[in-house]
Amino acid sequence: MVSDTRRMTDLSDVTARMRDFTDAREWARFHDLKSLTLALVGEVGEVAELVQWLPTDQAGGTMPGSHLRERLGDELADVLLYLVRLADVAGVDLGAEALKKLATNEERFPATHYRSVAPERR
Amino acid sequence: MVSDTRRMTDLSDVTARMRDFTDAREWARFHDLKSLTLALVGEVGEVAELVQWLPTDQAGGTMPGSHLRERLGDELADVLLYLVRLADVAGVDLGAEALKKLATNEERFPATHYRSVAPERR
Amino acid sequence: MVSDTRRMTDLSDVTARMRDFTDAREWARFHDLKSLTLALVGEVGEVAELVQWLPTDQAGGTMPGSHLRERLGDELADVLLYLVRLADVAGVDLGAEALKKLATNEERFPATHYRSVAPERR
Amino acid sequence: MVSDTRRMTDLSDVTARMRDFTDAREWARFHDLKSLTLALVGEVGEVAELVQWLPTDQAGGTMPGSHLRERLGDELADVLLYLVRLADVAGVDLGAEALKKLATNEERFPATHYRSVAPERR
């Protein structure tokens, strides 16, 4: 589990830094919705490769300092960076949308009803 | 592009809310690394379906209030929610890792050298 | 396991039929490498959604006639159809490449050495 | 486009060879539906990385003998091998399902009606 002492990371900060990073290299012209989605897919693929053969009894989490945790940290960061960039290009306020979706899900899946019942697929 | 007036969204807040959401429904036992990666893949697949047939001249962004922007907001939120949940279960501080990766990338791709040159793959 | 009595399905036949299907609808202009890869991703995402919450003891296979087998048959077919179409547009002889890769893998992972040892990642 | 002189590749042959390859290494116990779907995702991710930054005017196909075609051939083969393996474990006759789906699509999207109109999403 994540330490309670970690510092805050504001999604709009990460978004702004990715935008600056992109602009400074004049890479914005490569960053259309399709290319960025493909880049996101590539990074998610790397996450999948890290966990695909994990035995069930090792898939529950990672050990602090383990190679797997370090590799996952690296790849999940890549996923987030392309995700915020894609949202920025799409004109989507990712943080606001996530909070809105959380509220929707809290209503859609009442805790008393869904306790311990696997989420149904839509 | 995203408005400059949007409010802050702290990644650790989203993480904590997803953890509470999960715990209240006793869904943590479904949330191993492999299942959550598959859930992430499913949501990324929905994003792909939204952009796959976009003509090149419409792939640069979205119009405010358009159906596409609304749909992308919804699906990108799902991607983020599973991403923070996966990072939480993996013991990864997603925000810290993203900022670290940004710093690495800034050094690895010096702006003066890479200006306007497509990023090479590893 | 698949019945031994199933009829043959030639990959180049499926490829030719997908090409005819595409041409008859004048859809070839939508079928560039990036759009088709995104379409493939969308279908793989649907497969992921079918298996993501399967408990470990039900992930070993499917029951004949089960809803899951039926749904997987449908989605895996979609994956194959976009895969052969992508290969066709890429100028790749998918069947020949697969047989070549199989031969490579057989040499790269000698059975005597790798027996029961999980495949290492590259 | 693919040469007309290529030899036939029967999907059930590829399936049987993958099964033999797996059995000879006693890897079947790693090959549950979730692990194989993740492996498929990993390979699709590699395809995405090959095409993600392609400029639009180079995304229409590949040049014979080009590095891109060679790399795509290699990665698309990996996708097919995990796909047939996943179908085998799922008890799905992949070839039969693909032909069935083709027939369904031919009826669902009448050529006269859909000519030149982008396929709608479901």
Side-chain angles (χ1 to χ4, degrees):
Chain A
M1 289 298 125
V2 172
S3 152
D4 290 312
T5 58
R6 61 187 172 168
R7 70 181 159 188
M8 269 185 37
T9 309
D10 177 26
L11 266 178
S12 56
D13 275 354
V14 182
T15 301
R17 284 192 58 183
M18 268 301 278
R19 197 193 298 173
D20 292 345
F21 175 85
T22 305
D23 288 345
R25 283 149 193 81
E26 294 173 10
W27 283 354
R29 63 195 177 111
F30 301 115
H31 285 191
D32 59 283
L33 301 175
K34 294 169 90 163
S35 301
L36 286 168
T37 301
L38 287 164
L40 184 65
V41 167
E43 298 302 339
V44 169
E46 308 224 26
V47 175
E49 290 183 350
L50 290 177
V51 303
Q52 63 195 10
W53 305 129
L54 280 184
T56 307
D57 61 358
Q58 292 170 35
T62 64
M63 300 294 288
S66 66
H67 183 61
L68 178 60
R69 180 180 293 190
E70 206 176 302
R71 291 291 313 276
L72 278 171
D74 199 53
E75 300 301 345
L76 294 173
D78 284 335
V79 174
L80 181 67
L81 294 180
Y82 278 126
L83 179 63
V84 299
R85 182 70 194 136
L86 176 55
D88 195 18
V89 170
V92 164
D93 184 337
L94 187 59
E97 291 291 336
L99 295 177
K100 196 168 73 179
K101 194 62 176 273
L102 257 168
T104 304
N105 286 345
E106 277 157 5
E107 230 176 281
R108 185 174 159 209
F109 303 104
T112 47
H113 186 77
Y114 279 88
R115 190 159 298 136
S116 207
V117 177
E120 291 298 300
R121 286 207 51 246
R122 276 143 307 167
Chain B
M1 288 299 126
V2 173
S3 152
D4 291 311
T5 58
R6 64 187 168 164
R7 71 181 157 186
M8 268 185 37
T9 310
D10 178 27
L11 266 178
S12 56
D13 274 355
V14 183
T15 302
R17 284 193 58 183
M18 268 301 277
R19 197 193 298 174
D20 291 346
F21 175 85
T22 304
D23 288 344
R25 283 148 192 82
E26 296 175 6
W27 283 355
R29 62 195 179 112
F30 301 116
H31 284 191
D32 59 283
L33 301 175
K34 295 169 89 164
S35 301
L36 285 168
T37 301
L38 287 164
L40 184 66
V41 167
E43 298 301 341
V44 170
E46 307 223 27
V47 175
E49 290 183 351
L50 290 176
V51 304
Q52 64 195 8
W53 305 128
L54 280 184
T56 306
D57 62 357
Q58 292 170 35
T62 65
M63 300 296 287
S66 66
H67 182 62
L68 178 60
R69 180 180 291 190
E70 206 177 301
R71 290 293 314 276
L72 278 172
D74 198 52
E75 300 300 346
L76 293 174
D78 284 335
V79 174
L80 181 66
L81 294 180
Y82 278 126
L83 179 63
V84 300
R85 182 70 193 135
L86 175 55
D88 195 17
V89 169
V92 163
D93 184 338
L94 186 59
E97 291 290 337
L99 295 178
K100 197 168 73 179
K101 194 63 177 268
L102 257 168
T104 304
N105 286 345
E106 278 157 5
E107 229 174 279
R108 186 174 157 207
F109 303 104
T112 47
H113 185 78
Y114 280 89
R115 190 160 296 135
S116 207
V117 178
E120 290 300 302
R121 285 211 53 246
R122 294 141 304 162
Chain C
M1 289 299 126
V2 172
S3 151
D4 291 312
T5 58
R6 62 186 171 168
R7 69 179 160 189
M8 269 186 38
T9 310
D10 178 27
L11 267 177
S12 55
D13 273 355
V14 182
T15 302
R17 284 192 57 183
M18 269 301 278
R19 196 193 298 174
D20 291 346
F21 175 85
T22 304
D23 288 346
R25 284 149 192 80
E26 294 173 9
W27 284 354
R29 62 194 180 112
F30 301 115
H31 286 189
D32 60 282
L33 301 175
K34 294 170 90 164
S35 301
L36 285 168
T37 300
L38 287 165
L40 183 66
V41 166
E43 298 302 339
V44 169
E46 307 225 25
V47 175
E49 290 184 350
L50 290 176
V51 303
Q52 63 196 9
W53 305 128
L54 279 184
T56 307
D57 61 357
Q58 292 171 35
T62 64
M63 300 295 288
S66 66
H67 183 60
L68 178 60
R69 180 180 292 190
E70 207 176 301
R71 290 292 313 275
L72 279 172
D74 199 53
E75 299 300 347
L76 294 173
D78 283 335
V79 175
L80 182 66
L81 293 180
Y82 277 126
L83 179 63
V84 300
R85 183 70 194 135
L86 175 55
D88 195 17
V89 169
V92 162
D93 184 336
L94 186 59
E97 291 291 337
L99 295 178
K100 196 167 73 180
K101 195 60 177 273
L102 257 169
T104 303
N105 286 346
E106 277 158 3
E107 230 175 281
R108 185 174 158 209
F109 302 104
T112 47
H113 186 78
Y114 280 88
R115 189 159 298 136
S116 208
V117 178
E120 291 300 301
R121 285 210 52 246
R122 287 142 304 163
Chain D
M1 289 298 127
V2 173
S3 151
D4 290 312
T5 58
R6 63 185 169 166
R7 70 182 158 183
M8 267 185 39
T9 309
D10 178 27
L11 266 178
S12 56
D13 273 355
V14 182
T15 302
R17 283 193 58 182
M18 269 301 278
R19 196 193 299 173
D20 291 346
F21 175 85
T22 304
D23 288 345
R25 283 149 193 82
E26 294 173 8
W27 283 354
R29 63 196 179 112
F30 301 115
H31 285 190
D32 59 283
L33 300 175
K34 294 170 90 164
S35 302
L36 285 168
T37 301
L38 287 165
L40 184 66
V41 167
E43 298 302 338
V44 170
E46 306 225 24
V47 175
E49 291 184 348
L50 289 176
V51 304
Q52 63 195 10
W53 305 129
L54 280 184
T56 307
D57 62 358
Q58 292 170 36
T62 65
M63 300 294 288
S66 65
H67 183 60
L68 178 60
R69 179 179 294 191
E70 205 176 302
R71 290 292 311 275
L72 278 171
D74 199 52
E75 300 301 346
L76 294 173
D78 283 336
V79 175
L80 181 66
L81 294 181
Y82 278 125
L83 179 62
V84 299
R85 183 70 194 137
L86 176 55
D88 196 17
V89 169
V92 163
D93 184 337
L94 186 59
E97 292 290 337
L99 295 178
K100 196 167 74 180
K101 194 63 176 273
L102 258 168
T104 304
N105 286 344
E106 278 157 4
E107 229 174 281
R108 185 174 159 208
F109 303 105
T112 48
H113 186 78
Y114 279 89
R115 189 160 297 136
S116 208
V117 177
E120 290 299 300
R121 286 208 52 245
R122 277 143 305 167

